[in-house]
Amino acid sequence: LSMVGAALTLPGIAGFILTLGMAVDSNVITYERIKEEMALGESLHDAIEKGYSNALPAIIDGNITTLLIAAVLFFLGTGPIKGFAVTLSLGVVVTIITAVFVSKVLLRFVVKTFNLKKEQLFWKGVPKND
């Protein structure tokens, strides 16, 4: 924020919190898609690849829509509204990068490093206690 000269005001903090919510939503969408692929019988590696590719359109759509609204707020708003728009825009750009690229690399790294198998994951659901 300091690089673009934006002050962190209450609307800026609100934009930051909204950005955190969108980042969590992107991860939830992705992991649910991976879970669906695993339920269809895909291997863990294939489920990760297909899950990310299936989640990408929804993530991009939601974030681009938010960027368009933030642009409208920035150009039509004044003072605190512009701060909200700047914070939200920066957060959305970072969210897109992390949701699409960084989290996929990290998930692949964890699966490979710990040699995780499909049967070891909690994504398959909570086991019933009989």
Side-chain angles (χ1 to χ4, degrees):
L1 288 174
S2 63
M3 288 174 36
V4 295
L8 193 58
T9 60
L10 285 177
I13 293 170
F16 180 72
I17 292 170
L18 181 59
T19 300
L20 286 176
M22 291 184 69
V24 169
D25 182 55
S26 295
N27 284 314
V28 168
I29 290 170
T30 302
Y31 294 131
E32 284 299 315
R33 299 294 172 127
I34 293 171
K35 185 177 168 182
E36 289 172 5
E37 293 297 328
M38 288 175 58
L40 292 173
E42 296 289 339
S43 68
L44 181 57
H45 176 73
D46 290 341
I48 291 171
E49 294 302 316
K50 289 182 180 180
Y52 271 93
S53 64
N54 291 340
L56 185 62
I59 293 169
I60 296 295
D61 182 46
N63 286 316
I64 294 299
T65 303
T66 304
L67 280 175
L68 290 172
I69 298 303
V72 169
L73 288 174
F74 182 79
F75 289 113
L76 298 179
T78 59
I81 303 299
K82 284 189 176 191
F84 175 78
V86 168
T87 306
L88 184 61
S89 298
L90 289 173
V92 166
V93 169
V94 171
T95 297
I96 291 172
I97 292 169
T98 56
V100 174
F101 302 111
V102 177
S103 68
K104 186 175 183 179
V105 171
L106 286 175
L107 183 58
R108 282 184 189 159
F109 175 76
V110 167
V111 167
K112 186 176 180 180
T113 301
F114 296 106
N115 197 22
L116 295 178
K117 302 292 181 213
K118 185 176 171 180
E119 298 78 25
Q120 296 171 313
L121 298 178
F122 190 69
W123 293 336
K124 292 175 65 175
V126 179
K128 294 180 181 178
N129 291 331
D130 292 335

